[in-house]
């Protein structure tokens, strides 16, 4: 074979057992924690309200005001996003200093501290411990969502990078579903159990501390960042089996291409004009992931379930159905991504979400016209969740990994993670006012966002399936050069005309 065609890649289409277990070990204490902590706080809402009121009464001999209670509960919930932002802002730096695997292991300190503080909040009579515990949970999630996709993208062979990267999305939805199930009254959803329920966040942390040490550090980190040839070859052999020559050649080529370059800081990446399109892409994708309407769908879900005649005490079980729906879609996306490609899935997901926004607006507008419309609205809820899980929910993180090389990837994840968490915080803050102001027409705002993302993805983002990181970077560079040449040509023509 001609050497210009690059290394021959393995035709093996399934990960070996070691790679699959390493992915699970990274995800159980990573993105699973994020999903779990997002959903597990919903079940004990009433009980935490009572605990805050009781504590306030014991301290000040008076009940807390309704506004004060709402404010404190909002702090308990939203402090998680502040912690996530803090975690994302340090995750990339830690991944360079401690390694990807080392950072994931050290990150469990925050999860264990959170579990202890939230578990002790009720017996100690301090709701402040609950707030600090949620902050630590957020820091844990922020670091995890920054470093775990890095690790998964770097340990996977090129042909399986998309499928392995989907582990992040699969375990997020698995965490959401597990939190919903554990919060049912038949398990830990009773009033006397809520401190135990919130402290169960220690279980995934312990599992990761037990399992992840048995698997190697990222081979790319070992060779490119640490110059450890022997360690890299050993890691590749454990993760990919005997046929790891193609991956070794890819990593070595990237190392040779990055000689003299050190891992970039976020501000250096922001100033690098050669990477502006990759950077703009991940900023837009991560912003849209939070602002595309998925939060609005979950907000309306309870209302629609009530409108459809489902008894209030049965709604938590139907909500578990939405979690299961998203989990199944993430698994489906994981199986399809290496066949259909990233671009087709994420464009298809946003296109279907756009259609659902239109249908959902219509069904909500005519909600009282016929008993059928609440059920049609429920169908739209599940269709929207399926569409989100099929594309934006899973592919966004994978693209953040693939659009950058070793020197720029940690900084890219810090920027992407910070944007994602800030968008999460913004939509949590502003969304209730959007719903009050626009009511069912709020989905027209999300329709515009989804349509704009379809257009941008179609025009700007290349397909990255089965391409090495260097090949993807060169494709973006060629595209940038073509745009620059067109701009220069236009400028020259204008200058000639004016003369």
């Amino acid at each position: 074979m001609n050497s210009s065609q690059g290394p021959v890649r393995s035709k093996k289409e399934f990960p070996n057992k070691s790679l699959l277990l390493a992915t699970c070990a990274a995800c159980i204490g990573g993105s699973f924690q994020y999903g779990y902590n997002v959903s597990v706080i919903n079940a004990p809402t009433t009980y935490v309200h009572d605990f805050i009121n009781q504590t306030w009464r014991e301290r000040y001999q008076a009940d807390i005001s309704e506004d004060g209670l709402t404010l404190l509960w909002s702090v308990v919930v939203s402090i998680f996003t502040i912690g996530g932002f803090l975690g994302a802002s340090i995750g990339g730096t830690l991944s360079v200093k401690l390694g990807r695997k080392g950072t994931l292991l050290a990150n469990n300190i925050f999860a264990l501290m959170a579990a202890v503080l939230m578990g002790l909040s009720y017996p100690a009579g301090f709701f402040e411990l609950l707030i600090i515990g949620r902050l630590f949970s957020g820091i844990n999630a922020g670091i995890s969502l920054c470093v775990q996709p890095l690790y998964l993208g770097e340990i996977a062979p090129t042909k399986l990078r998309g499928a392995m990267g989907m582990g992040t999305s699969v375990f997020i939805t698995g965490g959401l579903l597990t939190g919903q199930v554990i919060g049912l009254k038949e398990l830990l959803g009773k009033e006397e159990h809520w401190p135990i329920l919130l402290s169960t966040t220690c279980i995934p942390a312990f599992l990761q501390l037990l399992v992840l040490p048995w698997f190697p550090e990222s081979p790319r980190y070992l060779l490119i960042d640490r110059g450890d040839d022997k360690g890299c070859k050993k890691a590749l052999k454990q993760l990919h089996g005997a046929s790891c020559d193609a991956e070794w050649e890819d990593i070595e080529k990237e190392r040779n291409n990055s000689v003299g370059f050190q891992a970039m800081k976020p501000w250096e990446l922001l100033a690098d004009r050669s990477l502006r399109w990759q950077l703009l892409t991940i900023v837009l994708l991560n912003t849209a992931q939070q602002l595309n309407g998925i939060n609005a769908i979950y907000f309306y879900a309870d209302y629609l379930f009530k409108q459809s005649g489902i008894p209030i005490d049965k709604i938590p079980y139907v909500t578990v159905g939405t979690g299961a729906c998203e989990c199944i879609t993430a698994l489906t996306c994981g199986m399809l991504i290496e066949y259909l490609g990233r671009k087709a899935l994420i464009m298809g997901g946003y296109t279907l979400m756009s259609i659902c926004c239109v249908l959902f607006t219509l069904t909500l507008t005519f909600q009282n016209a016929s008993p059928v419309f609440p059920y049609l609205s429920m169908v739209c809820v599940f269709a929207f969740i399926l569409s989100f899980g099929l594309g934006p929910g899973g592919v966004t993180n994978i693209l953040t990994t693939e659009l950058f090389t070793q020197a720029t990837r940690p900084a890219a994840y810090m920027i992407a993670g910070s944007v994602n968490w800030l968008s999460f915080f913004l939509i949590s803050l502003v969304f209730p006012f959007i719903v009050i102001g626009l009511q069912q027409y709020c989905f027209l705002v999300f329709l515009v966002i989804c349509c704009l993302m379809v257009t941008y993805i179609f025009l700007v983002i290349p397909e990255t399936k089965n391409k090495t990181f260097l090949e993807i970077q060169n494709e973006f560079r060629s595209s940038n050069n073509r745009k620059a040449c067109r701009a220069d040509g236009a400028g020259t023509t204008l200058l000639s005309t004016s003369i």
Side-chain angles (χ1 to χ4, degrees):
M1 179 177 284
N2 194 316
S3 60
S4 65
Q5 290 177 295
V8 180
R9 296 190 183 99
S10 170
K11 292 183 180 179
K12 187 177 180 180
E13 296 182 0
F14 298 98
N16 66 29
K17 186 165 65 175
S18 183
L19 178 60
L20 201 57
L21 290 174
T23 300
C24 293
C27 292
I28 193 66
S31 55
F32 181 90
Q33 284 276 40
Y34 166 76
Y36 188 76
N37 280 294
V38 165
S39 66
V40 81
I41 196 67
N42 294 323
T45 299
T46 306
Y47 310 138
V48 175
H49 282 186
D50 294 341
F51 164 59
I52 293 172
N53 198 17
Q54 176 189 338
T55 306
W56 194 274
R57 192 185 307 118
E58 289 173 359
R59 290 183 190 177
Y60 306 107
Q61 288 73 53
D63 288 340
I64 189 171
S65 67
E66 194 65 35
D67 289 342
L69 182 61
T70 303
L71 176 63
L72 282 174
W73 173 245
S74 298
V75 171
V76 170
V77 175
S78 62
I79 198 74
F80 180 77
T81 62
I82 303 299
F85 174 75
L86 294 174
S89 65
I90 62 173
T93 303
L94 289 175
S95 73
V96 174
K97 293 184 179 299
L98 303 179
R100 285 41 163 165
K101 173 185 162 184
T103 302
L104 289 173
L105 289 172
N107 188 33
N108 288 298
I109 294 170
F110 292 108
L112 295 174
M113 289 171 64
V116 170
L117 290 170
M118 290 190 290
L120 290 177
S121 60
Y122 181 75
F126 290 102
F127 57 78
E128 293 86 353
L129 295 180
L130 195 57
I131 295 171
I132 299 170
R134 287 282 293 172
L135 177 67
F136 283 145
S137 290
I139 294 173
N140 171 267
I143 293 173
S144 295
L145 291 184
C146 179
V147 181
Q148 180 200 296
L150 262 179
Y151 182 69
L152 298 187
E154 292 178 8
I155 66 173
T158 302
K159 293 187 77 172
L160 290 171
R161 197 169 57 225
M164 293 295 97
M166 279 302 301
T168 298
S169 179
V170 169
F171 275 82
I172 286 176
T173 57
L176 286 166
L177 179 59
T178 304
Q180 290 168 345
V181 172
I182 296 292
L184 295 174
K185 289 187 176 180
E186 288 81 357
L187 296 172
L188 294 178
K190 294 180 180 177
E191 183 171 6
E192 62 270 23
H193 293 150
W194 74 260
I196 300 172
L197 174 63
L198 295 182
S199 64
T200 51
T201 187
C202 68
I203 297 174
F206 279 128
L207 284 173
Q208 186 174 73
L209 287 170
L210 285 171
V211 180
L212 188 57
W214 295 96
F215 298 98
E217 179 57 85
S218 155
R220 287 180 180 275
Y221 176 80
L222 290 171
L223 186 63
I224 300 173
D225 291 70
R226 288 287 177 259
D228 185 357
D229 293 47
K230 186 178 178 181
C232 176
K233 287 180 178 178
K234 185 179 177 181
L236 282 173
K237 190 171 182 181
Q238 181 179 348
L239 293 168
H240 301 171
S243 57
C244 58
D245 292 343
E247 295 305 318
W248 166 262
E249 288 180 37
D250 280 344
I251 299 171
E252 195 169 36
K253 188 185 292 184
E254 188 174 340
R255 178 175 67 168
N256 294 336
N257 193 65
S258 60
V259 170
F261 289 93
Q262 290 186 329
M264 276 191 180
K265 304 292 189 297
W267 51 91
E268 293 172 338
L269 181 57
L270 288 168
D272 191 336
R273 291 177 62 83
S274 68
L275 297 168
R276 59 187 173 182
W277 283 103
Q278 290 96 311
L279 194 59
L280 177 62
T281 297
I282 64 162
V283 167
L284 291 177
L285 286 175
N286 280 274
T287 303
Q289 192 177 37
Q290 295 297 338
L291 306 184
N292 58 25
I294 190 67
N295 299 291
I297 285 290
Y298 280 118
F299 178 88
Y300 267 100
D302 279 6
Y303 163 75
L304 293 173
F305 296 153
K306 289 173 188 172
Q307 286 287 101
S308 303
I310 297 170
I312 293 176
D313 60 329
K314 302 296 180 187
I315 287 177
Y317 303 96
V318 183
T319 305
V320 168
T322 64
C325 180
E326 194 171 350
C327 193
I328 291 167
T329 313
L331 286 167
T332 305
C333 183
M335 291 185 283
L336 292 175
I337 194 165
E338 296 299 351
Y339 294 96
L340 299 179
R342 287 62 155 157
K343 190 167 182 173
L345 277 177
I346 196 166
M347 277 185 62
Y350 274 118
T351 301
L352 291 173
M353 288 166 73
S354 301
I355 295 169
C356 288
C357 283
V358 174
L359 296 176
F360 203 48
T361 302
L362 292 173
T363 56
L364 286 175
T365 302
F366 298 104
Q367 193 77 353
N368 298 319
S370 166
V372 176
F373 279 101
Y375 294 97
L376 292 176
S377 298
M378 283 180 63
V379 171
C380 287
V381 167
F382 283 94
F384 195 96
I385 292 170
L386 285 168
S387 305
F388 174 78
L390 190 65
V395 181
T396 300
N397 267 327
I398 295 170
L399 286 174
T400 307
T401 299
E402 294 184 330
L403 298 187
F404 296 88
T405 55
Q406 195 76 8
T408 56
R409 200 174 295 121
Y413 263 103
M414 289 171 71
I415 294 170
S418 300
V419 167
N420 198 297
W421 284 100
L422 283 175
S423 301
F424 189 1
F425 179 74
L426 177 67
I427 197 69
S428 301
L429 195 67
V430 175
F431 173 68
F433 299 101
I434 295 175
V435 173
I436 291 168
L438 298 178
Q439 297 182 357
Q440 71 269 23
Y441 299 109
C442 69
F443 286 94
L444 298 179
V445 176
F446 304 129
L447 169 65
V448 171
I449 292 171
C450 291
C451 289
L452 288 174
M453 286 311 302
V454 171
T455 306
Y456 181 84
I457 293 163
F458 177 75
L459 295 175
V460 176
I461 302 178
E463 178 53 67
T464 59
K465 183 181 73 169
N466 288 340
K467 293 177 183 175
T468 67
F469 295 127
L470 282 178
E471 287 169 349
I472 297 165
Q473 185 188 49
N474 289 335
E475 189 163 341
F476 259 105
R477 191 172 291 164
S478 300
S479 177
N480 286 343
N481 289 339
R482 286 195 299 271
K483 290 185 178 88
C485 287
R486 282 199 296 269
D488 289 343
T492 303
T493 303
L494 184 62
L495 183 61
S496 301
T497 305
S498 64
I499 291 173

